[in-house]
Amino acid sequence: MEVIETNVLKISEIESQYPNQWIVLGNPVFDGMDVLEGVVIAHNTDKRIASMEGGERRAPFKKLTLFYVGKLPPPRRIGLLRRIKED
């Protein structure tokens, strides 16, 4: 069984430790729409993997949030749409 980190990190610490990654934060603290701090329970460059891992580790937390640290990569286009726009 994996031990879940329970250290509350400020957003500046999260940004420096997990650049360009999706973060699942347990018990997040917000200021309006901005995340201030929380417990990192999952992180990954792939949003789906971070979400899945966060869901598996959510038990001890009342609230979760998912957000990206850094500049979001451009959305991927599926092949059919790309071909239609190129024609």
Side-chain angles (χ1 to χ4, degrees):
M1 184 172 155
E2 185 178 344
V3 177
I4 297 174
E5 187 75 34
T6 58
N7 292 336
V8 175
L9 297 177
K10 302 280 185 199
I11 191 66
S12 59
E13 297 170 308
I14 294 169
E15 290 171 341
S16 67
Q17 290 182 31
Y18 308 103
N20 303 315
Q21 293 190 46
W22 287 96
I23 307 297
V24 179
L25 213 57
N27 296 338
V29 175
F30 293 96
D31 179 19
M33 295 294 290
D34 298 325
V35 178
L36 297 178
E37 63 185 23
V39 178
V40 175
I41 60 173
H43 61 91
N44 199 297
T45 55
D46 187 304
K47 182 179 182 179
R48 286 174 275 170
I49 293 172
S51 296
M52 190 169 33
E53 290 175 354
E56 292 170 356
R57 300 174 186 164
R58 73 172 294 142
F61 302 99
K62 293 182 180 185
K63 295 188 298 182
L64 296 178
T65 193
L66 172 71
F67 66 99
Y68 190 78
V69 173
K71 184 178 177 190
L72 281 171
R76 293 184 276 172
R77 295 186 205 162
I78 60 173
L80 177 63
L81 292 177
R82 187 177 315 132
R83 279 182 277 172
I84 291 171
K85 288 189 175 195
E86 290 173 357
D87 290 343

